[in-house]
Amino acid sequence: MIEVDNLTKYYGTKIALDKVSFTVRKGEVLGFLGPNGAGKSTAMKIITCYLSPTEGSVKVDGLDVFDDSLEVRKRIGYLPETPPLYLDMTVKNYLEFAAKIKGVDKKNLQESVDTVVDKCGLSQYYRSQCRALSKGFRQRVGIAQAMVHNPLVLILDEPTIGLDPIQIVEIRHLIKSFGGEHTVVLSTHILPEVDMTCERVIIINDGTVVAEDTTSNLRSRLPQTEQIYLEIRGNSSQLLSKLEAIQGINSVNEDKCSDNIIIYEIKADNKTDVRPEIAKTVIGENLELLQLKDVSLTLEDIFINVTMK
Amino acid sequence: MRNALAVYVREIKSYFVSPILYIIATVFMLVVGNSFKDYFIRFAMMTMQALRQATNSGGEVPLFNINSYVATNMFAFMNYMFLLIVPLLTMRLYAEEKKTGTMELLMTSPITTTQVLIGKFFSCLTIYFFMMSLTIAFVVIMMIQSNGKLDWGPIFSSYLGTFLLGSAIISIGMFFSSLTENQIIAAAVSLSIIMGLWLLIHSARYITPPYNDLISYFSLSDHLDSFTYGFIGINHIVYFISMTVFWLVLTGINVESTRWRQ
């Protein structure tokens, strides 16, 4: 659906994107990850025809963003970093205006607006001025604006920024529900968000793509030790040394909490699963096993790993 | 067309919800009205004096033309006021959209820069026309006071001249609004450019021919005089329209080029 080929963008002499290439398949939800200033927004602005690339090409639905700009824009819904609201308009008037300039037919106009108002949970603020809305609701109006013409592609620049935790969950569900029907590209630096909403991730740093894969593949690609979290109740002075003796375990860190509860942080090879062995040892010592879990690598680790290289 | 209309309607609504239009229109009517009152009283005194003299000496009562004593002065003053007011109307057109980020909505929607431009230009021209129409009140007063002997030709041509002047200075204001995201700068720069073009005719005096004609040709004021005397010259109409088109095209190029100039 989106083909980005050797995309390069200079701001003056400063390079923002350096030969970036990737593709986004139809119906996919793609996460665009990167530290501040990595070039996420720039890439999105080029895909949405807001900026022209210095070199390289971007095709959306087979159409070039430079040659068929208007056609591409019909197929794209875009939420910029700050929602582009006319503060003196009501939500109703604003969405109607957005629908009109995005080429929604007169007879479908009301229906389109009602649909997005419903989807984005805006009905209670339908007649309020945008000026009166909180940050979170402005963000929702921004998302509603982006999808009012039912576009093939949705480009969302940090869609959950400034929202409260409940709203974040709602917006994530909303975005996830777009997948399949719409192609979604969203940028963020909140990593769990990518984990929850995206099927595939592109990590971008200093204007270049440093990693591109599914989240689970990215995890397994890293040669890392496994971390295991163990929580027991009881008193045993021998457990620590017995745990250290298990084959595959590299190091054990003991941390005494309150009331006989001891927490162990165990580092092991990821070749063998040492958890059954740990459980047996704990039971063998006549201790109560409260928790035993695999603390696998988070996207943060991957992120730091690939961007620091 | 539909897109331009959507922008037009939005802009008109936006003018009417903000207090600035009401403030400007009120001040405009107060100032123009006050000057109209002055011209009118002066005219009344003059006619009364002449009447007294005529009855005393038994001579004939001279005829005074209300058009040339009141209407011409009022239109000249109104035009001058518009030079000061229009930058305040145009300053927000692009600068505000750039500041609030709504420019990104317009630039990424399937709507051309020209459609946006046309919508914005005509919305401002409509507001201008609306303010200009308020002064019809003064024309009605003149008509009543002159027992219907008002000469309608110069009145109509003066309005046409003011309207054409408006379209030219609105397009200048729009261009400078598209250059910056600061409305104050947009207003200040357009005001100085408009004033410069207005006063250009005075500098023509110090320049040797044939260049003085060229310089004065570019001056806005040079093309307005004949309208107030009731003369509609095609060359003057062409001047104002080409001035409008020139600045509008420049605005369009400037807005479109921001895509690759960044």
Side-chain angles (χ1 to χ4, degrees), chain A residues 31-251:
Chain A
F32 223 46
L33 216 59
N36 293 326
K40 295 176 300 219
S41 292
T42 305
M44 291 185 144
K45 281 176 179 170
I46 293 171
I47 296 170
T48 54
C49 310
Y50 183 64
L51 292 178
S52 297
T54 314
E55 265 171 58
S57 74
V58 178
K59 282 197 168 86
V60 177
D61 199 19
L63 298 159
D64 192 272
V65 290
F66 194 76
D67 299 328
D68 293 301
S69 182
L70 282 181
E71 283 301 312
V72 168
R73 285 186 247 167
K74 274 183 197 164
R75 289 162 171 76
I76 281 185
Y78 173 46
L79 171 71
E81 242 167 316
T82 43
L85 304 191
Y86 290 105
L87 297 181
D88 55 15
M89 290 175 104
T90 62
V91 172
K92 173 182 182 287
N93 286 344
Y94 174 71
L95 290 176
E96 280 170 3
F97 171 70
K100 270 186 214 159
I101 62 168
K102 283 155 188 258
V104 177
D105 290 343
K106 204 169 188 176
K107 61 177 196 292
N108 296 329
L109 194 91
Q110 198 53 48
E111 202 193 321
S112 313
V113 171
D114 288 346
T115 313
V116 290
V117 164
D118 202 38
K119 266 191 185 168
C120 299
L122 286 166
S123 44
Q124 73 188 107
Y125 293 106
Y126 191 50
R127 289 183 195 281
S128 323
Q129 265 200 349
C130 291
R131 189 186 303 283
L133 300 181
S134 65
K135 178 89 180 74
F137 275 96
R138 288 184 188 188
Q139 195 74 16
R140 285 186 193 217
V141 177
I143 295 174
Q145 159 277 123
M147 46 187 280
V148 73
H149 56 311
N150 201 19
L152 289 169
V153 180
L154 269 171
I155 312 273
L156 309 170
D157 201 348
E158 306 197 344
T160 56
I161 206 159
L163 301 180
D164 67 41
I166 298 167
Q167 290 173 329
I168 289 179
V169 174
E170 283 172 6
I171 293 291
R172 278 180 195 155
H173 277 298
L174 187 65
I175 293 167
K176 220 169 175 181
S177 72
F178 298 153
E181 197 184 337
H182 307 265
T183 307
V184 184
V185 178
L186 68 95
S187 81
T188 180
H189 44 237
I190 306 164
L191 300 148
E193 187 162 292
V194 178
D195 231 356
M196 276 174 245
T197 49
C198 302
E199 292 145 31
R200 215 153 56 88
V201 190
I202 287 176
I203 301 179
I204 186 166
N205 190 32
D206 276 339
T208 51
V209 174
V210 287
E212 179 187 353
D213 217 328
T214 60
T215 45
S216 53
N217 278 356
L218 275 178
R219 256 194 211 102
S220 63
R221 223 165 60 169
L222 293 166
Q224 281 282 336
T225 53
E226 204 154 350
Q227 273 202 35
I228 291 158
Y229 175 92
L230 172 68
E231 194 179 322
I232 61 151
R233 183 156 46 205
N235 239 329
S236 168
S237 49
Q238 286 158 38
L239 185 64
L240 183 63
S241 55
K242 285 203 172 173
L243 283 174
E244 278 171 339
I246 296 172
Q247 204 183 11
I249 289 183
N250 297 336
S251 69

Side-chain angles (χ1 to χ4, degrees), chain A residues 9-12 45 48-52 69-70 73-74 76 78 80-89 93-94 97-106 109 145, chain B residues 2-11 13-15 17-18 92 96-97 100-113 115 120 256 258-262:
Chain A
K9 176 76 187 171
Y10 284 92
Y11 288 123
K45 281 176 179 170
T48 54
C49 310
Y50 183 64
L51 292 178
S52 297
S69 182
L70 282 181
R73 285 186 247 167
K74 274 183 197 164
I76 281 185
Y78 173 46
E81 242 167 316
T82 43
L85 304 191
Y86 290 105
L87 297 181
D88 55 15
M89 290 175 104
N93 286 344
Y94 174 71
F97 171 70
K100 270 186 214 159
I101 62 168
K102 283 155 188 258
V104 177
D105 290 343
K106 204 169 188 176
L109 194 91
Q145 159 277 123
Chain B
R2 192 169 155 260
N3 285 338
L5 192 68
V7 173
Y8 173 83
V9 172
R10 201 205 71 71
E11 290 289 342
K13 277 184 188 163
S14 167
Y15 271 119
V17 294
S18 97
R92 49 168 288 280
E96 193 181 34
E97 304 239 19
T100 58
T102 45
M103 205 60 207
E104 268 185 273
L105 171 68
L106 294 180
M107 301 274 280
T108 58
S109 294
I111 171 171
T112 63
T113 320
Q115 287 165 338
K120 282 179 181 291
E256 189 60 34
T258 51
R259 287 187 206 280
W260 49 263
R261 265 194 298 132
Q262 287 186 36

Side-chain angles (χ1 to χ4, degrees), chain B residues 44 46 64 90 93 125-126 143 192 206 227 252:
Chain B
M46 206 166 59
F64 287 100
T90 56
L93 285 173
L125 198 61
T126 307
M143 189 187 77
S192 42
Y206 307 101
F227 284 103

